[in-house]
Amino acid sequence: MSAATAERVPIEAGFFTIPDDPAQSPRLLGSKCRSCGEQFFPRRTVCAKCLEADTEDVLLGPVGTLYTWTYVHFPMFGVKAKDAKGYGVGQVDLPEGPRVQSVLSGGEHDFRIGMPMRLELETLKQNREGQDVVIFRFRPSEDAR
Ligand SMILES: [Zn+2]
């Protein structure tokens, strides 16, 4: 980790990893049913497919395929920059099975259904402790196939 990089903390714990190396992709914190193998995001203790209360924690992503998307012409929550633009929102299908709703990184003309996506972190703001508060998002990525 670079000395110039502030410590990163999640906006809410329990949804994604924050790698020590900012060049590494984060992972989503999911669950896998030990009975039927179905995987979920976010984590759950009871399988939504077979209803067995027997899941284990798994890491999901960091790649997926854009299932659908839209563009919000309004700054994202928590963004205070006066020149802030809108943002994409989409659903990304993970190879492990779950379809994840997520903020998308990129401009309003950068998305197309079926394109490969890669998970990354975005800093929303700094907290009072000087840490970067981050969320996950997906970015179009040709190397995510
Ligand atoms: Zn199951």
Side-chain angles (χ1 to χ4, degrees):
M1 184 198 287
S2 163
T5 304
E7 182 182 3
R8 299 182 295 174
V9 295
I11 191 166
E12 187 170 341
F15 292 92
F16 55 89
T17 66
I18 299 178
D20 288 339
D21 179 355
Q24 295 294 311
S25 295
R27 308 290 303 278
L28 295 176
L29 301 175
S31 298
K32 181 176 183 177
C33 175
R34 288 190 179 100
S35 178
C36 75
E38 191 78 3
Q39 297 190 65
F40 303 95
F41 176 81
R43 284 184 172 160
R44 52 185 305 138
T45 56
V46 176
C47 177
K49 185 176 180 186
C50 74
L51 303 181
E52 288 289 333
D54 186 18
T55 61
E56 61 184 338
D57 293 344
V58 292
L59 296 175
L60 303 173
V63 297
T65 303
L66 188 58
Y67 173 74
T68 192
W69 64 276
T70 190
Y71 195 83
V72 180
H73 294 270
F74 197 80
M76 190 170 3
F77 61 92
V79 174
K80 299 204 168 53
K82 288 180 180 168
D83 61 347
K85 296 181 170 57
Y87 59 99
V89 175
Q91 293 184 326
V92 176
D93 287 339
L94 303 179
E96 299 91 344
R99 177 169 292 159
V100 177
Q101 180 137 333
S102 172
V103 170
L104 304 179
S105 174
E108 66 177 296
H109 303 294
D110 294 342
F111 311 115
R112 68 177 193 283
I113 289 171
M115 72 192 312
M117 307 292 283
R118 179 176 292 277
L119 192 66
E120 64 179 21
L121 298 176
E122 176 179 8
T123 299
L124 276 186
K125 60 183 178 182
Q126 284 207 322
N127 63 19
R128 290 187 177 131
E129 291 74 36
Q131 299 163 316
D132 287 343
V133 176
V134 297
I135 62 169
F136 74 85
R137 63 184 186 179
F138 279 90
R139 170 186 291 280
S141 175
E142 288 304 322
D143 72 346
R145 289 190 191 279

